[in-house]
Amino acid sequence: GRVEVPRSVTAVLGQDVVLPCRYRAQEQEQVVQVTWLKRGPGAAQAEVAVLNPQHGEHVQEPFVGRVLRHGHGDLEDGAIVLRN
């Protein structure tokens, strides 16, 4: 399969923005979890959210209320919304 994300996303201060992420699965593949990470300075990464159909959606404390799943249904569409 192949992950498809835009090269860049433009956001407007104070407005919501969608961060798209689509997985083009090959035959017999199924997406079971999507994990979003925020890159920090250097190689530092912080987990933002985990989307899992069996265990639900988990958003890390600093991002609660600001990060939501954009779509519904299967996780081939793993887009999220950053609020405000």
Side-chain angles (χ1 to χ4, degrees):
R2 176 177 89 222
V3 175
E4 296 177 348
V5 294
R7 189 169 202 95
S8 66
V9 175
T10 301
V12 176
L13 185 63
Q15 294 187 9
D16 296 353
V17 63
V18 175
L19 299 181
C21 179
R22 176 163 287 282
Y23 183 74
R24 299 288 180 189
Q26 293 181 1
E27 193 173 324
Q28 304 298 323
E29 282 187 318
Q30 180 182 357
V31 180
V32 295
Q33 182 168 294
V34 173
T35 302
W36 279 89
L37 302 172
K38 178 181 178 182
R39 286 189 186 165
Q45 293 182 351
E47 186 176 283
V48 174
V50 176
L51 312 177
N52 185 300
Q54 291 182 329
H55 303 290
E57 302 166 19
H58 178 73
V59 177
Q60 294 296 332
E61 186 58 40
F63 306 102
V64 171
R66 295 189 54 224
V67 173
L68 308 166
R69 181 167 179 206
H70 182 254
H72 300 286
D74 65 35
L75 287 177
E76 288 184 6
D77 179 2
I80 58 173
V81 177
L82 300 182
R83 299 193 67 207
N84 193 12

